[in-house]
């Protein structure tokens, strides 16, 4: 059994790269992906080039057609603690 491969996405540009990569990894052309979700090739090209402008519903259709899923991560729960300031330097005592 293989492990779930995840791809952190924080920007539309990163999502664009992942959608294109997944499509190509599945051996699909833009036209073939469009057939799976009921749109023309030009719409798939537009989704890949600017995924930030696509509706969530259509994004979910694209991901489903690519056998991919959207996962949300609560980053506050797993975030690294903020670095603390170093303790102040101790001055030498007078009885040195």
């Amino acid at each position: 059994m293989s492990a779930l491969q995840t791809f952190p996405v924080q920007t539309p540009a990163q999502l664009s790269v992942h959608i294109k990569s997944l499509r190509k990894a599945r051996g699909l052309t833009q036209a073939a992906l469009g057939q799976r979700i009921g749109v023309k090739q030009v719409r798939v090209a537009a989704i890949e080039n600017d995924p930030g402008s696509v509706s969530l519903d259509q994004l979910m259709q694209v991901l489903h057609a690519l056998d991919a899923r959207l996962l949300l991560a609560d980053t506050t729960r797993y975030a690294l603690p903020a670095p603390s300031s170093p303790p102040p330097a101790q001055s030498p005592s007078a009885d040195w």
Side-chain angles (χ1 to χ4, degrees), residues 9-21:
V9 175
Q10 296 178 330
T11 67
Q14 290 172 332
L15 181 57
S16 175
V17 169
H18 291 307
I19 290 173
K20 287 177 193 176
S21 295

Side-chain angles (χ1 to χ4, degrees), residues 14-96:
Q14 290 172 332
L15 181 57
S16 175
V17 169
H18 291 307
I19 290 173
K20 287 177 193 176
S21 295
L22 286 169
R23 176 181 57 77
K24 290 177 181 181
R26 305 298 188 260
L28 296 171
T29 63
Q30 289 178 337
L33 177 57
Q35 284 181 325
R36 287 187 177 193
I37 64 171
V39 300
K40 296 185 183 282
Q41 177 272 329
V42 288
R43 180 61 184 145
V44 173
I47 292 168
E48 285 185 354
N49 289 324
D50 189 11
S53 68
V54 69
S55 70
L56 180 58
D57 182 54
Q58 197 160 51
L59 176 61
M60 298 300 284
Q61 289 175 1
V62 168
L63 294 175
H64 181 76
L66 294 172
D67 198 26
R69 300 294 176 265
L70 179 66
L71 303 173
L72 298 177
D74 181 355
T75 57
T76 58
R77 181 172 179 191
Y78 299 103
L80 296 174
S84 58
S85 302
Q90 299 291 328
S91 57
S93 61
D95 58 339
W96 258 32

